């Protein structure tokens, strides 16, 4: 997957405030949370397993790269998760190829409070304004029940299920936001 193809849209956007969170580009102060997130076995249960913490520490640049389409979700001044919007150029399913792809990873201590839903809804609303008329796809393991619930809550519906990475995957799509 490549960066979000933003065309003329500037990145990062001005920070987006939701009821409880701020969505913004990544900053140097996020590094420790990035390491926690990327090396957490719990977070990677359905993502093929986490990399060892020492490896993440070694490979992560001093400041996490502020990549277009990578939103940091901040709660009370600290990063609690990531919302990712990427152009799925090399997706293995034709229905998803070339479309924008949503991903989300939150620190376990922030699960079960609706933060992921709040952050993703805000990122999708931003996208509807920045790049109107784009459908968004999402791939998740069907066994990942928290992720499946979140996808449904955000308005994704099933395109197909397929076998990959030793598990059944669910491909969902969300039509463009009406009027956007
Ligand atoms: C997928 C993931 C982001 C979901 O996180 P989550 O916290 O369960 O998701 P939500 O933000 O939708 O929160 C949902 C829960 O918060 C509860 N909640 C508590 N307070 C709430 C509030 N004020 N508003 C909304 N929901 C609230 C809801 O009841 C809901 O619980 P339920 O699902 O048991 O009914 C998280 O499990 C994760 O980071 N997993 C690892 C990464 C991953 O697998 N990503 C998927 C592949 S892209």
């Amino acid at each position: 997957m490549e960066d979000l193809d933003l065309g003329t849209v500037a990145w990062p956007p001005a920070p987006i405030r939701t009821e409880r969170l701020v969505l913004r580009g990544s900053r140097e102060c996020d590094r420790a949370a990035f390491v926690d997130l990327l090396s957490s076995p719990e977070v990677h249960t359905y993502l093929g397993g986490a990399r060892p913490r020492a490896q993440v520490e070694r490979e992560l640049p001093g400041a996490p790269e502020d990549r277009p389409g990578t939103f940091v979700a901040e709660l009370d001044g600290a990063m609690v998760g990531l919302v990712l919007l990427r152009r799925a150029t090399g997706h293995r399913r034709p229905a998803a190829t070339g479309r924008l792809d949503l991903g989300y990873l939150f620190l376990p201590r922030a699960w079960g409070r609706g933060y992921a839903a709040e952050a993703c809804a805000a990122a999708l609303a931003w996208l509807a304004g920045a790049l109107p008329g784009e459908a968004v796809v999402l791939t998740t393991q069907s066994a990942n029940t928290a992720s499946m619930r979140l996808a449904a809550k955000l308005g994704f519906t099933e395109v197909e299920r397929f076998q990959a990475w030793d598990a059944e995957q669910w491909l969902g799509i969300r039509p463009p936001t009406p009027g956007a």
Side-chain angles (χ1 to χ4, degrees):
M1 284 198 286
E2 297 191 343
D3 284 349
L4 173 60
D5 179 3
L6 287 169
T8 56
V9 182
W11 186 268
I16 299 166
R17 280 170 204 287
T18 69
E19 206 182 318
R20 298 173 293 175
L21 305 170
V22 177
L23 262 69
R24 54 166 177 78
S26 63
R27 297 178 186 158
E28 200 168 342
C29 60
D30 301 322
R31 190 173 194 280
F34 263 86
V35 172
D36 286 349
L37 197 62
L38 298 177
S39 63
S40 161
E42 231 178 325
V43 169
H44 289 79
T45 304
Y46 302 102
L47 301 173
R51 283 180 284 157
R53 193 176 179 89
Q55 186 188 342
V56 174
E57 283 277 11
R58 225 176 21 247
E59 290 174 0
L60 197 70
E65 195 187 346
D66 189 9
R67 289 178 66 184
T70 298
F71 279 107
V72 164
E74 181 187 286
L75 172 72
D76 299 331
M79 170 174 152
V80 288
L82 289 176
V83 177
L84 310 169
L85 284 166
R86 300 269 187 264
R87 185 71 61 182
T89 45
H91 203 285
R92 59 175 66 202
R93 307 307 297 175
T97 303
R99 294 201 187 272
L100 290 175
D101 184 293
L102 176 72
Y104 32 71
L105 299 100
F106 279 68
L107 290 165
R109 64 181 169 80
W111 294 357
R113 306 242 164 85
Y115 294 139
E118 193 171 314
C120 290
L124 289 168
W126 170 82
L127 181 72
L131 288 173
E134 291 250 22
V136 179
V137 296
L138 181 159
T139 305
T140 187
Q141 276 192 30
S142 53
N144 190 348
T145 48
S147 176
M148 291 287 282
R149 271 203 298 273
L150 176 54
K153 235 180 285 177
L154 293 169
F156 286 83
T157 55
E158 181 172 326
V159 176
E160 59 180 341
R161 291 173 187 235
F162 61 99
Q163 227 24 66
W165 307 290
D166 296 325
E168 185 187 74
Q169 310 290 328
W170 184 90
L171 173 63
I173 193 160
R174 182 182 187 272
T177 308

